[in-house]
Amino acid sequence: MAGIEVAGLALTIVATTDLCFKYGRILVKICATFRGAEAEINERVLCVESHWKRTTVQLEFIIRIWDSLDEEHQTIQDQILQVLVGKLSIINSKLEKCSKKRTGSQESELQVKEVRKWKYVLTKKHLDESIEDLVSWQKMFDPSWFLILKVSSPFIDQELCRNGPVVSPFTSTYNLRDALREQPLQKVPIFLPTDELDMAQMHEIPFASAKCMQRVDRDKWYVVDCVPCDPGANTSSTTKDVRELARKLSSVDPLTFGILQCRGVVRVMEPGTGRPSSFDFVFRIPRELSNEPRSLRSYLSSNPNLTLTDRFELAKQMAKSISYVHTLGFVHKNIRPETVLGFQTNDSRSDLFFLVGFEKIRMADGRTLQSGDSTWEKNLYRHPLRQGLYPKDVYTMQHDIYSLGVCLLEIGLWDSFLSYPESAIAPLPAAALGVTLDDREFKQPVRMKEHLMALAKRDLPKRMGDRYEKIVINCLTCLDQDNADFGDQSEFEDLDGVLVGVKYIEKVG
């Protein structure tokens, strides 16, 4: 039966991609009829054609490496491509209405179509919608595209080389695939000189784990994220993990991944011991963004007027960032509003958010030091079995998914679970959380989880809709044995670690 299902998927992908190519050719043909119109129309036509060219290259690659993907990965790819078929069909239907043949003799011979002036506004509107649809589909497709990089297959390497690292969209794909190798072909220097921080001005980011940095001799700004070195950890093993993470983060496209690109790491040494006390990651701020980031906690606490659309987009950005951290082969362990930074774009259209706060890095051999802390404001975002000084569970990707669920709940309510009174030396539970430090929820972690689920079921449907509420509940119950999507840990023990990523994309992303 399994063989029949796999054969069925192979036939399905052929049919689906054939439809994509068919509608794509129609789209390009329609766009060609708009050439020679006003400059604003021409610019949009070029943008649509550029997006379709990128998609074509990716579709051709997917077809060639299809047999290298496991069944679940094939299924999610096919579902995403079917979404593209639907979008292309709708785009073509709209644009066809904006084009009409002229009957003049000369134009008839040349078979030229032009955009009528009275349709100019409508054409521009439909082209903008087409670009937006193609961009939103690309964002949906990207996590499953980059997940291919985790599949160990010489054939995939061969096909990537066939396209070459200079062919878009293979540039970032090729570089990241190389960074994921145990022995990368490109050697990237990771550790920076210690004076990198000595010659810089540091600026606190309110309610954030990271800081902003500006070198005295440069105009550029950076984000600095301090990773304390656990006294009980093996120094050489931790250094290896830091090097691996920094090397992989140096290859990411920040606007695609929602993770800032790493410039390098400064080893901060403990005086007199020769041991590192911390590793300070230095991240570049993309030139498209402002130099004044704010933490998600700051957004939630000051309650700015974010639209419902912006909140959905923020939730998607967070889910995407976590997906890519897992694609890189790491777990984050510290997902909370203090480790998410928001930047205004230079065009001020909307803010973009990035995941930082890599305080605890997974050991190179996949094991974690099962040590923790009793800080309530951090435990709030941890699964009940990962709380306290000696957590019961070894950390897995699903623990990050639980933390995401708590953050998505806060975003959905658009209110902070923490408050920072001026007279208090530490944060206190805010009214939005609905409990105080004396309540049993803080003494029994399972009770807190139940309380968060009750909040989600009560308030999210009317604020964010039923589907959003179900995603939050799915995240909060991702380690429950009766969770149909994530509960059975054995289902995700594949060699490449791809299956949990596929499930994540399907159910959360």
Side-chain angles (χ1 to χ4, degrees):
M1 182 64 71
I4 295 173
E5 290 175 356
V6 171
L9 278 171
L11 292 172
T12 302
I13 194 64
V14 171
T16 305
T17 51
D18 279 351
L19 277 174
C20 289
F21 287 130
K22 174 185 174 183
Y23 289 139
R25 285 191 294 269
I26 294 172
L27 174 62
V28 171
K29 188 176 180 181
I30 295 171
C31 284
T33 68
F34 297 146
R35 292 198 176 279
E38 286 82 351
E40 286 187 329
I41 298 291
N42 273 334
E43 288 174 10
R44 286 162 171 79
V45 166
L46 284 172
C47 193
V48 170
E49 291 175 343
S50 174
H51 279 294
W52 176 244
K53 178 61 179 175
R54 172 192 173 108
T55 303
T56 300
V57 174
Q58 289 178 309
L59 289 179
E60 291 171 346
F61 181 82
I62 289 289
I63 293 170
R64 295 199 303 270
I65 59 95
W66 184 254
D67 290 338
S68 300
L69 307 180
D70 61 60
E71 187 178 337
E72 288 204 51
H73 202 164
Q74 290 179 347
T75 300
I76 193 67
Q77 289 284 5
D78 182 62
Q79 290 171 352
I80 293 172
L81 292 178
Q82 286 180 28
V83 172
L84 176 61
V85 170
K87 284 185 178 290
L88 288 172
S89 178
I90 293 170
I91 289 171
N92 289 343
S93 177
K94 288 180 179 179
L95 292 178
E96 279 179 334
K97 295 175 183 177
C98 298
S99 176
K100 186 176 178 66
K101 283 188 178 181
R102 297 292 297 270
T103 57
S105 57
Q106 183 181 2
E107 292 176 341
S108 177
E109 289 175 13
L110 297 174
Q111 294 185 345
V112 175
K113 293 181 182 180
E114 67 175 18
V115 182
R116 290 187 173 184
K117 289 183 178 180
W118 64 272
K119 287 187 176 179
Y120 172 77
V121 174
L122 187 62
T123 302
K124 191 167 73 167
K125 174 177 178 289
H126 287 333
L127 283 170
D128 284 339
E129 290 172 350
S130 302
I131 294 167
E132 186 178 334
D133 281 345
L134 290 171
V135 169
S136 69
W137 179 84
Q138 189 69 50
K139 288 179 180 178
M140 180 194 300
F141 174 70
D142 277 343
S144 64
W145 167 257
F146 285 105
L147 199 58
I148 293 171
L149 301 179
K150 294 196 70 175
V151 179
S152 298
S153 168
F155 182 68
I156 291 178
D157 290 325
Q158 176 185 324
E159 289 300 319
L160 278 172
C161 290
R162 171 177 166 179
N163 284 277
V166 295
V167 178
S168 179
F170 286 90
T171 306
S172 58
T173 309
Y174 186 92
N175 292 338
L176 193 56
R177 175 81 169 181
D178 186 51
L180 290 174
R181 301 175 195 268
E182 288 190 13
Q183 298 295 330
L185 301 176
Q186 301 178 35
K187 303 297 181 183
V188 180
I190 295 302
F191 290 104
L192 302 172
T194 54
D195 65 0
E196 186 78 14
L197 301 182
D198 297 336
M199 300 172 60
Q201 294 180 345
M202 292 290 186
H203 299 267
E204 297 285 339
I205 304 173
F207 315 126
S209 64
K211 298 179 181 180
C212 264
M213 178 190 87
Q214 183 184 29
R215 284 282 299 263
V216 175
D217 55 339
R218 297 176 191 171
D219 292 332
K220 288 186 177 180
W221 285 78
Y222 301 90
V223 168
V224 177
D225 205 0
C226 175
V227 178
C229 193
D230 195 316
N234 179 284
T235 303
S236 61
S237 181
T238 302
T239 302
K240 180 181 178 182
D241 285 324
V242 166
R243 184 186 294 111
E244 286 298 297
L245 178 61
R247 182 169 60 81
K248 292 173 181 178
L249 293 178
S250 70
S251 300
V252 303
D253 176 351
L255 300 183
T256 298
F257 281 51
I259 304 169
L260 296 174
Q261 189 179 69
C262 183
R263 179 173 175 269
V265 180
V266 177
R267 243 185 304 226
V268 180
M269 305 304 291
E270 209 172 71
T273 66
R275 287 175 55 89
S277 59
S278 69
F279 294 92
D280 289 2
F281 283 68
V282 180
F283 294 100
R284 296 183 176 91
I285 297 176
R287 62 178 180 274
E288 296 89 346
L289 307 179
S290 72
N291 294 325
E292 298 179 356
R294 297 172 59 195
S295 69
L296 177 55
R297 177 68 65 204
S298 177
Y299 282 82
L300 292 167
S301 299
S302 60
N303 228 0
N305 191 22
L306 240 67
T307 66
L308 192 62
T309 300
D310 288 338
R311 276 189 274 161
F312 274 116
E313 186 58 34
L314 166 55
K316 289 178 184 177
Q317 286 184 37
M318 276 202 70
K320 176 183 69 174
S321 300
I322 294 165
S323 172
Y324 285 131
V325 170
H326 295 169
T327 298
L328 294 174
F330 285 85
V331 286
H332 190 277
K333 298 188 177 183
N334 191 30
I335 297 164
R336 51 199 178 95
E338 285 77 6
T339 62
V340 178
L341 296 183
F343 294 78
Q344 277 193 328
T345 54
N346 291 334
D347 58 17
S348 299
R349 283 189 298 180
S350 60
D351 292 1
L352 295 179
F353 292 83
F354 299 83
L355 190 60
V356 294
F358 295 89
E359 282 187 13
K360 294 183 179 293
I361 300 172
R362 186 171 62 183
M363 302 289 282
D365 57 7
R367 293 180 292 105
T368 59
L369 288 171
Q370 285 180 261
S371 61
D373 57 63
S374 55
T375 310
W376 77 265
E377 62 268 26
K378 292 183 179 180
N379 278 334
L380 178 63
Y381 298 90
R382 295 169 179 155
H383 188 271
L385 295 178
R386 281 296 307 176
Q387 294 186 23
L389 294 174
Y390 302 101
K392 295 179 182 179
D393 270 11
V394 173
Y395 206 99
T396 66
M397 292 180 182
Q398 285 94 319
H399 291 109
D400 276 349
I401 295 173
Y402 177 88
S403 301
L404 171 65
V406 183
C407 292
L408 293 183
L409 174 57
E410 261 181 301
I411 292 169
L413 301 176
W414 201 243
D415 208 345
S416 175
F417 285 162
L418 274 64
S419 66
Y420 288 83
E422 291 185 9
S423 58
I425 58 174
L428 295 172
L433 186 57
V435 291
T436 68
L437 290 176
D438 295 326
D439 290 330
R440 62 182 183 178
E441 283 80 4
F442 282 106
K443 298 174 176 63
Q444 302 173 40
V446 174
R447 297 275 191 186
M448 178 59 78
K449 175 189 165 188
E450 292 171 351
H451 175 71
L452 295 174
M453 290 173 61
L455 273 180
K457 291 176 180 177
R458 186 189 72 192
D459 294 336
L460 286 183
K462 59 191 175 187
R463 299 196 189 193
M464 302 293 285
D466 291 336
R467 184 169 183 270
Y468 189 95
E469 177 255 334
K470 288 176 182 176
I471 290 173
V472 171
I473 294 298
N474 206 10
C475 290
L476 295 176
T477 60
C478 67
L479 282 155
D480 291 5
Q481 289 186 351
D482 60 353
N483 183 297
D485 298 317
F486 297 103
D488 188 352
Q489 182 68 28
S490 64
E491 289 185 5
F492 307 112
E493 293 172 354
D494 59 315
L495 184 63
D496 301 314
V498 172
L499 286 182
V500 70
V502 172
K503 281 283 188 183
Y504 179 90
I505 293 166
E506 183 180 6
K507 302 300 179 181
V508 180

